[in-house]
Amino acid sequence: MKITVKTTFDFGKLARYVSSGEFSDQANRLLGASIAESSRDFIKSGKVTPALLPSTIKRRKRMGVTHKKPLLRTEELADSLRATKEGIMAARYGKYHYEGDGVDRRNFIAFDEEKVKQPFKALMKKVGQALKK
């Protein structure tokens, strides 16, 4: 007795797609926009840690800034966050704060699960399409 099995999927095709530049570009664009938006909201909410030093708060008051939210003196960093095919891009000084290069390390990249759900579904749909023969 001979048994024949037929499939409607091709893991080789999926592997080629996932290792292609097209997949990483789409993932960066689809998920990156949600992460950039979540990070922008995170900065503007004032939840970034560590808190500002008293000397920084004092200096900001002299400049007319009344809030005590880290990384939000001019809003330039928050407004500069955007998704590209290379990943999340920000104002030049964002790297120094994120890595703690000469300043307090402040991780301002946030991930809001609700904002990522829809883009993640779209990405998984593309993966499913790549899996089909």
Side-chain angles (χ1 to χ4, degrees):
M1 179 168 149
K2 183 177 179 186
I3 297 176
T4 305
V5 177
K6 292 186 180 187
T7 62
T8 59
F9 55 88
D10 182 352
F11 285 114
K13 183 179 172 188
L14 176 63
R16 286 188 298 278
Y17 172 69
V18 170
S19 61
S20 74
E22 180 185 353
F23 175 75
S24 61
D25 290 352
Q26 289 175 346
N28 283 338
R29 263 196 324 273
L30 288 170
L31 298 175
S34 299
I35 293 170
E37 182 183 344
S38 297
S39 300
R40 192 175 307 111
D41 293 345
F42 184 66
I43 292 171
K44 289 183 177 184
S45 72
K47 296 178 182 175
V48 178
T49 57
L52 296 174
L53 296 172
S55 59
T56 304
I57 295 169
K58 202 179 217 181
R59 188 171 55 249
R60 281 185 172 193
K61 279 185 181 177
R62 285 195 306 263
M63 296 179 346
V65 179
T66 57
H67 64 76
K68 298 176 183 177
K69 298 176 182 178
L71 302 180
L72 199 64
R73 185 174 62 88
T74 64
E75 295 190 23
E76 179 185 352
L77 179 61
D79 292 341
S80 72
L81 292 170
R82 66 192 181 290
T84 67
K85 64 181 184 176
E86 289 84 27
I88 306 287
M89 302 306 258
R92 178 187 49 81
Y93 66 90
K95 175 183 175 187
Y96 303 119
H97 285 284
Y98 184 75
E99 294 176 353
D101 186 9
V103 295
D104 286 341
R105 184 182 191 288
R106 291 192 164 93
N107 184 358
F108 54 87
I109 302 298
F111 181 88
D112 183 342
E113 199 173 306
E114 285 302 312
K115 290 181 182 174
V116 175
K117 268 185 186 177
Q118 200 61 31
F120 184 75
K121 283 182 183 179
L123 185 62
M124 289 299 101
K125 185 176 181 180
K126 291 184 181 293
V127 167
Q129 290 169 345
L131 183 60
K132 292 179 182 175
K133 279 190 176 181

